[in-house]
Amino acid sequence: MAGADEEDYGARDRPHISINAFREATQYEYPSRRQERRPLREDYAAHANALLNQLTHALGGLPAPPADTRLQIEGLKPGTVIEISTRPPEDGSRTKAAKVPAALDFPTQDIVVLRTERRDDRTESALVFVPDDARTFLQGRITNYGSDPGNARRPDLDRFEVVETIASVSVRSLFVGDVDFTVPDVVWWEFWVRNGPSWADRVAERARAAELDVHADRLFFPDTTVVFVHGAASVIAAFASRVPGAINEIRRALGTIEPFLDRSGPGLDQHDWVAELAQRVVRAPDDKSVVCALDTGVAADHLLIVPGLKGAWAYDAAWQTDDHAPDGGHGTGIASLILYGDLEPHMNGAQPVELTHGVESMKLLPPKGFPPTKPPSYGVVTQGAVAQVEIERPGVIRSFCLANSAIDFSSSRPSTWSGALDQVAAGSMPGDAAQGLPASAAPKRFIIVAAGNVAGGMLADVVPSQPLEDPSQSWNALTIGGITRKDQIPAPPPALEPVVPANHRSPFSRGSQSLPDDLTPIKPEVLFEAGNMLSDNSGFCGWHPAVSLLAAGSDVVVEPLVPFWATSAAAGVAGNFVGQLQAALMELWPETHRALAIDSATWPQPIRKKLIGTGAHWKTTNSKADRQKILREVGYGVPDIGRAILSARNDVTLVAEAEIQPYAVGKDGRTGVFNEMHFYDLPWPRAALEQLENEIVTMKVTLSYFIEPNLTGRAATRPDTYRSFGLRFAMKKRTETDAAFRARINAAQDRDGTTADKEADCWLLGPKAVQAGSLHCDLWRGHAVDLAGHDAVAVYPVGGWWKSHLGQQRVTDKGRYALVISIAAPEHAIDLYTEIENAVQLKADVEIPAG
């Protein structure tokens, strides 16, 4: 219905908003609307009668004993599950949602809420179990609620006033996520059984009696035990319908790739899985973006690679283009991850798989029998490989994925390899320079690089954060670390345990915690799935296919599917993300694509708890230095492709792309001076933010640009010597005038943007944390009414070798940058977007008068 659509404030259906035109202040002031509290129901007797009629219909008649298929479970009364839904909040209400009442259940009668769900229209629903012998009791409570209380308080007002509907419900409502019950595939499911281990044992016993395969392992939580059951969706649903009230919810168990790797015994083999998926693949249009894997080659005739492969080459033609890596290959797996991401969910699905982008392969490493590429020439070979690709297929929007690393050089400082990557991204490698072409117009490239891997070993050695591997310290590359959602142990399990729980940093992943924070960028910037490790009773841990990703293998005859893991896998999945992003927003710069990847990233809950407290601001037990250490392990989180591409009404992204001339020659003709600053008077949703008042909102600011590296002896300790130019951003304070704001920025330049700020408490890191790197990001978290005053931002230069090395004759060069600002109020029914959109349109109307 149209009304439901209008209430879907979180739907990602709106383009990001450009703020390139905003150089002047535009103020919008709207008063906050006050909501008068009044009774929700005009006629409580009529409301109670409606609920009673709905309850009778929802419960239905009691089944006769011969027809009653419900299983007897000790301690569980026979009963029925119904669905209770709340009334939608009124239009204009600032209420986040009409919540299911906390006291909706009646424990003494065993009437219990099994699970609740938030809907897009800000209502909530609850699955409620009603025992057969408690029906009369519940009907009586609703009747009393509707009777005239006289001068007394209406009974059960808090329970029933907000309830809008009571309905019958299918057992399928217990399932979380989209489930196709027509698919016959037998997979693992999680039964979230209530009331502790004893009930779980009884449910498992009944499931085995129903000829279902039940895993012996359990997950134990307060009041809930998770039981793993193997079966087709329809069979699982049929069983669950016979034990109403025992199971809170049913989830698809996190996929393991092991079934697809099995080459023994009857049934489907790897080739069947590959052929079936290949039939569902829809090729991407030829004019879309590509991601080029710089790796060990590719199996070009693999059924899953053929639909997306746009080209395959080798740095040395004598190497040939096939994937020479042993044990299933490496480049082929990277290529498949770039095209599809982890193959496991696609193998377990049945829907068409539409490719959004293509993949290319450039063999960067020599096969056996050829001289190895030694560390000193890695940078040269990488740049040469990039140049060859662009000669072979010019004019293509592409990014490059490098999932290899070396331990020959410390990542605490730039290396020749990392510096070469910085040149590739900045368009300053040999051959890029054209006569008369300014630096800002040189070709820019999006580079993805893996953070490097932790090898298996003893837990005490594996779990602590370990430093990056070369060349992932590259300033311009997007460095990819690993997270994992894979914690399912193999079945039947040996004595193995996952090293980390789901939604934690992968044990394979490295970071920059131990690197000097004033000299090195925050790395990795983002995380993607890298798989987990399993440990045995001795504490020794290592990779295992049960907690790995599934990828295409190079041996298409014997082993077309292989397990894939570590930050190589994460880099491949990142390539899939970047391919989608660039295909959707082809008109934007690589610097902007990088910024949008960062802007879209969020931390999963276990990590969020380290940073976010219970109040309006960041966790007060952590200093800003402590927070930066956390970010140097997990970056800015896991990117969301939907958020990167589109905005929502309550989560808006503003984008600016601009050239800037940071320096000029001073009056004496012998020194460089600061030249240009950019101030944006933002089209701020002041009225919407003030309407939210003290509700918590988040602003994220990301500044992305590519520097030209200068590998001098001082580069390791002087970021301003390594970078060609540096930029910073600063937000206007709540009570600051425009003149005071500009004066503050002027004063901050010589201090590299590290001026202390009393209002920085709302920032995750604050201005002092911004040092090295060509990507700067910070998050503001606080009350919406406070954010309303931060309606301007500045982008300004700090030192770089263009300014200090006048002999290079680059002091008047222009650079370019992308600035991305997002305002997020995801749990609120608030329209931030329309107010900004109206301000943008008004600005356009003023600048282009009619006639």
Side-chain angles (χ1 to χ4, degrees):
M1 295 190 307
D5 292 341
E6 292 173 359
E7 294 295 325
D8 191 1
Y9 291 90
R12 299 208 168 273
D13 54 5
R14 295 162 190 247
H16 299 327
I17 297 176
S18 171
I19 56 172
N20 287 337
F22 281 82
R23 305 280 176 163
E24 298 178 0
T26 303
Q27 298 291 330
Y28 288 89
E29 297 286 348
Y30 293 101
S32 298
R33 286 182 289 182
R34 300 183 64 84
Q35 176 105 12
E36 296 295 332
R37 178 68 174 94
R38 59 182 177 78
L40 292 180
R41 308 292 172 179
E42 295 181 0
D43 188 338
Y44 282 92
H47 181 231
N49 286 333
L51 294 182
L52 285 170
N53 291 334
Q54 294 173 12
L55 177 63
T56 299
H57 184 267
L59 291 172
L62 290 173
D68 192 350
T69 60
R70 293 176 295 187
L71 300 174
Q72 292 184 0
I73 293 180
E74 183 183 351
L76 176 65
K77 296 179 179 179
T80 303
V81 177
I82 60 175
E83 183 178 54
I84 292 179
S85 301
T86 61
R87 170 178 173 157
E90 295 185 359
D91 292 341
S93 169
R94 289 174 293 174
T95 303
K96 289 184 285 187
K99 297 181 180 180
V100 169
L104 187 60
D105 45 7
F106 297 89
T108 59
Q109 299 293 318
D110 290 332
I111 298 175
V112 296
V113 174
L114 299 178
R115 58 173 288 210
T116 60
E117 183 177 2
R118 177 70 59 84
R119 293 171 171 170
D120 292 338
D121 62 354
R122 292 190 293 159
T123 64
E124 290 187 348
S125 64
L127 298 183
V128 180
F129 175 67
V130 182
D132 293 347
D133 62 8
R135 292 184 173 198
T136 302
F137 171 85
L138 183 57
Q139 291 166 342
R141 297 298 288 255
I142 295 175
T143 300
N144 291 339
Y145 155 77
S147 62
D148 186 357
N151 293 327
R153 175 179 170 80
R154 183 173 298 280
D156 289 324
L157 184 71
D158 294 337
R159 276 192 170 100
F160 300 122
E161 184 187 36
V162 74
V163 174
E164 186 70 8
T165 60
I166 302 175
S168 59
V169 68
S170 164
V171 68
R172 295 182 178 183
S173 296
L174 289 174
F175 288 76
V176 176
D178 296 328
V179 177
D180 187 349
F181 292 90
T182 66
V183 174
D185 297 349
V186 176
V187 296
W188 285 100
W189 302 87
E190 298 174 356
F191 281 7
W192 291 67
V193 181
R194 69 182 181 96
N195 269 15
S198 60
W199 276 38
D201 291 339
R202 294 163 194 162
V203 169
E205 198 175 295
R206 289 297 186 182
R208 291 192 184 98
E211 299 184 344
L212 289 169
D213 186 11
V214 181
H215 206 289
D217 284 356
R218 304 276 191 274
L219 289 175
F220 300 99
F221 302 95
D223 301 322
T224 302
T225 302
V226 181
V227 177
F228 298 93
V229 184
H230 204 224
S234 58
V235 176
I236 294 295
F239 172 77
S241 68
R242 301 185 66 191
V243 289
I247 301 171
N248 291 330
E249 61 186 57
I250 301 172
R251 300 183 181 184
R252 171 73 186 278
L254 190 65
T256 173
I257 68 173
E258 288 180 289
F260 309 113
L261 301 178
D262 188 7
R263 298 193 303 273
S264 62
L268 296 175
D269 65 12
Q270 288 194 12
H271 298 86
D272 297 318
W273 289 112
V274 169
E276 191 278 332
L277 176 56
Q279 291 178 351
R280 292 189 273 122
V281 174
V282 180
R283 295 172 183 256
D286 289 337
D287 61 348
K288 289 298 184 181
S289 62
V290 297
V291 179
C292 180
L294 303 172
D295 215 274
T296 60
V298 67
D301 57 346
H302 196 293
L303 287 180
L304 298 181
I305 301 297
V306 169
L309 186 62
K310 302 300 182 181
W313 311 277
Y315 178 74
D316 185 332
W319 296 352
Q320 301 186 351
T321 62
D322 62 303
D323 188 353
H324 65 264
D327 302 322
H330 194 268
T332 304
I334 293 292
S336 76
L337 291 170
I338 288 171
L339 287 174
Y340 304 95
D342 187 359
L343 285 175
E344 183 271 327
H346 296 305
M347 290 294 182
N348 276 321
Q351 301 300 316
V353 178
E354 296 186 7
L355 299 181
T356 61
H357 55 280
V359 68
E360 297 169 332
S361 171
M362 166 55 75
K363 184 181 285 194
L364 188 71
L365 303 175
K368 188 175 181 180
F370 290 85
T373 300
K374 295 181 180 180
S377 64
Y378 283 156
V380 174
V381 173
T382 301
Q383 291 191 349
V386 168
Q388 284 190 39
V389 169
E390 294 179 340
I391 291 171
E392 293 288 347
R393 294 187 72 231
V396 175
I397 295 176
R398 65 164 57 82
S399 55
F400 293 89
C401 180
L402 178 63
N404 294 278
S405 59
I407 58 174
D408 305 278
F409 197 92
S410 170
S411 60
S412 63
R413 61 187 65 191
S415 71
T416 55
W417 198 3
S418 72
L421 290 187
D422 285 337
Q423 287 184 328
V424 171
S428 62
M429 67 180 191
D432 282 339
Q435 190 69 30
L437 185 69
S440 60
K444 305 296 188 291
R445 305 175 181 92
F446 197 148
I447 310 293
I448 302 161
V449 63
N453 296 322
V454 176
M458 299 305 294
L459 275 171
D461 300 322
V462 169
V463 172
S465 180
Q466 298 187 34
L468 304 167
E469 290 182 339
D470 187 34
S472 63
Q473 71 272 34
S474 162
W475 281 30
N476 293 338
L478 184 68
T479 301
I480 308 301
I483 196 168
T484 187
R485 296 183 178 90
K486 296 178 179 288
D487 61 356
Q488 181 174 327
I489 57 177
L496 297 175
E497 294 291 339
V499 170
V500 296
N503 285 330
H504 283 70
R505 176 181 62 86
S506 169
F508 291 108
S509 188
R510 291 174 173 265
S512 56
Q513 266 196 357
S514 61
L515 305 183
D517 57 12
D518 61 331
L519 303 177
T520 58
I522 292 175
K523 296 279 182 174
E525 290 98 345
V526 290
L527 308 176
F528 286 91
E529 179 64 66
N532 206 341
M533 293 185 187
L534 296 182
S535 65
D536 59 21
N537 291 333
S538 71
F540 184 85
C541 55
W543 82 276
H544 193 283
V547 287
S548 298
L549 291 77
L550 185 66
S554 59
D555 192 338
V556 298
V557 175
V558 177
E559 194 176 31
L561 295 173
V562 295
F564 220 84
W565 62 94
T567 59
S568 289
V573 178
N576 178 259
F577 174 94
V578 171
Q580 293 183 65
L581 176 60
Q582 291 192 314
L585 302 174
M586 297 178 69
E587 73 282 4
L588 297 181
W589 296 343
E591 298 97 318
T592 315
H593 292 140
R594 181 174 68 153
L596 288 170
I598 303 299
D599 177 76
S600 74
T602 56
W603 301 290
Q605 187 55 45
I607 298 172
R608 284 175 58 85
K609 288 180 180 179
K610 298 179 180 179
L611 297 167
I612 299 177
T614 57
H617 305 303
W618 303 102
K619 204 165 188 176
T620 55
T621 55
N622 290 342
S623 67
K624 287 181 170 59
D626 292 334
R627 296 171 197 163
Q628 186 177 159
K629 287 182 179 179
I630 295 172
L631 264 59
R632 286 178 170 272
E633 182 179 356
V634 300
Y636 296 95
V638 182
D640 181 322
I641 189 62
R643 193 173 192 272
I645 293 173
L646 291 168
S647 289
R649 281 197 289 173
N650 63 3
D651 191 351
V652 188
T653 298
L654 311 178
V655 177
E657 295 180 327
E659 288 187 350
I660 188 170
Q661 184 184 326
Y663 316 120
V665 178
K667 292 182 179 180
D668 60 6
R670 299 188 302 272
T671 58
V673 297
F674 294 115
N675 179 55
E676 189 177 4
M677 298 178 289
H678 288 178
F679 291 88
Y680 293 85
D681 291 318
L682 299 168
W684 218 230
R686 179 184 290 271
L689 291 170
E690 290 180 345
Q691 182 182 339
L692 284 172
E693 293 183 339
N694 290 323
E695 298 290 351
I696 300 170
V697 296
T698 302
M699 174 178 63
K700 194 171 190 178
V701 184
T702 307
L703 177 63
S704 173
Y705 55 100
F706 293 156
I707 59 94
E708 295 183 36
N710 185 2
L711 284 175
T712 68
R714 292 184 296 172
T717 58
R718 292 284 302 275
D720 60 331
T721 298
Y722 181 72
R723 66 190 176 220
S724 50
F725 70 102
L727 297 176
R728 298 289 182 263
F729 68 82
M731 296 294 297
K732 179 184 171 186
K733 299 180 183 180
R734 296 193 301 273
T735 59
E736 196 170 31
T737 66
D738 287 341
F741 179 39
R742 292 171 185 257
R744 176 165 61 89
I745 300 308
N746 275 301
Q749 284 181 311
D750 285 323
R751 290 187 287 271
D752 199 21
T754 59
T755 305
D757 185 350
K758 292 181 180 179
E759 289 190 2
D761 288 343
C762 290
W763 292 96
L764 176 67
L765 297 175
K768 290 186 177 181
V770 179
Q771 291 288 330
S774 61
L775 185 141
H776 312 298
C777 178
D778 207 354
L779 289 86
W780 186 101
R781 185 174 186 271
H783 297 128
V785 69
D786 292 334
L787 182 59
H790 294 289
D791 56 0
V793 65
V795 176
Y796 60 93
V798 291
W801 62 261
W802 281 359
K803 175 176 177 284
S804 58
H805 292 49
L806 262 67
Q808 295 290 333
Q809 298 183 347
R810 302 291 301 276
V811 68
T812 59
D813 276 13
K814 292 182 178 180
R816 69 183 201 181
Y817 67 85
L819 178 68
V820 173
I821 303 172
S822 61
I823 312 171
E827 297 181 0
H828 302 290
I830 193 72
D831 189 349
L832 302 168
Y833 191 98
T834 300
E835 188 176 349
I836 299 173
E837 186 180 41
N838 289 342
V840 171
Q841 185 59 53
L842 180 62
K843 180 76 170 176
D845 292 342
V846 170
E847 292 184 349
I848 308 176

